[in-house]
Amino acid sequence: MTGAGRLDGKRALVIGGGGTGIGRAVIRAYAAAGAGVVVADVDAARATEAADELRTAGYTAHAISGDVRSREQLDDMIVGAAERLGGLDTLVTVVGGQVAFVPAVKLHEMSDEDWETVYDLNLRYVARAVRRVLGLFLEQGTGGNIVSIGSVTGFMAAPKQAGYGAAKAGLNSLARTVAAEYAADGIRMNVVAGGAISTGVNNANPAGDWVPEIPAGRYGTSEEMAAATVYLASDEARYVTGQQIVLDGGVSVRGPFPE
């Protein structure tokens, strides 16, 4: 299986891995690469179903549920994952987005409540999870790895998604700071920044036919995003930290020039 053995012996918590799309692709890729996986999701049944799928295939997997917006539940996810796996080497944060949670509107039309919702689900919980897992990694004394799913909106304009873009920009800054402060401890953090990725949410968006604007001529896949997270968690990327890997089919480098 693709990637087999690249994460042998690794212990990973994937926050947001129970559903379809990128999160589900990540847990499958990590398990296939040899990692023990804890699937964390706000929907307990969904997390259990995802973990059961992996165990049926012969992999090590556990389910845990909680709301990332709750400090206590987020802490329980991290502590619980370490208990189930006998420690933790990798944290992958997948939960995020805007259109799945609040309307896509221009900035002046966005309510304070919607801004806070987007911020909570794209940056605040990641920062809390990172702070908690950093302490765990330092206590273990064996280093660690953090991979966050980001977006090209973190460094490009994001019309009608200002909150989302601002949060993803903050995520990139967070990764750079973690790299600078903790590389000497063997701890790394990187971001996988996606462009137009084929997921359930994007495919259901009637305004989301962006293919004509993508140089590659197609959407990216969840499996391609997952493969990048496997690389970043592997020893092959042990000298890579504080970086973004951009998967956008060329969108972010295409200028407004005629063919």
Side-chain angles (χ1 to χ4, degrees):
M1 195 172 292
T2 302
R6 296 174 75 189
L7 300 181
D8 277 351
K10 302 291 186 183
R11 301 159 296 182
L13 167 61
V14 181
I15 298 179
T20 59
I22 296 170
R24 196 62 167 263
V26 168
I27 64 167
R28 289 168 174 161
Y30 271 59
V37 179
V38 170
V39 183
D41 200 278
V42 69
D43 186 324
R46 193 163 59 190
T48 299
E49 189 272 331
D52 285 347
E53 175 195 300
L54 297 183
R55 283 196 298 270
T56 299
Y59 302 122
T60 299
H62 306 272
I64 196 166
S65 64
D67 188 336
V68 297
R69 293 169 293 185
S70 163
R71 294 174 188 265
E72 294 76 16
Q73 292 181 43
L74 188 58
D75 190 70
D76 287 346
M77 288 184 209
I78 294 167
V79 173
E83 289 175 348
R84 287 164 172 79
L85 295 173
L88 203 60
D89 305 294
T90 300
L91 168 69
V92 185
T93 63
V94 180
V95 175
Q98 175 166 320
V99 295
F101 306 110
V102 303
V105 295
K106 286 189 174 181
L107 183 55
H108 77 283
E109 299 172 320
M110 194 172 190
S111 69
D112 287 344
E113 293 76 17
D114 284 351
W115 181 278
E116 288 299 315
T117 295
V118 172
Y119 184 78
D120 281 344
L121 291 168
N122 288 278
L123 182 58
R124 181 176 279 125
Y125 93 87
V126 179
R128 287 173 177 164
V130 167
R131 292 201 307 270
R132 182 65 180 86
V133 84
L134 284 171
L136 177 62
F137 289 161
L138 291 170
E139 183 180 327
Q140 291 176 164
T142 54
N145 180 54
I146 303 163
V147 183
S148 289
I149 299 299
S151 169
V152 295
T153 60
F155 58 88
M156 297 176 66
K160 296 189 177 181
Q161 297 189 68
Y164 180 62
K168 292 305 187 185
L171 189 62
N172 298 332
S173 179
L174 181 66
R176 290 191 289 268
T177 299
V178 169
E181 291 185 343
Y182 297 96
D185 299 295
I187 297 170
R188 301 183 293 112
M189 181 173 178
N190 293 285
V191 176
V192 178
I197 306 299
S198 181
T199 65
V201 172
N202 287 342
N203 295 345
N205 179 9
D209 183 13
W210 302 305
V211 170
E213 306 303 323
I214 302 172
R218 65 173 178 86
Y219 291 131
T221 69
S222 295
E223 289 73 23
E224 287 169 327
M225 293 286 287
T229 73
V230 169
Y231 164 70
L232 289 172
S234 74
D235 289 341
E236 296 167 26
R238 58 186 174 273
Y239 204 56
V240 181
T241 188
Q243 304 301 311
Q244 294 179 79
I245 291 183
V246 180
L247 282 77
D248 70 352
V251 167
S252 60
V253 297
R254 179 176 183 173
F257 306 115
E259 293 291 339

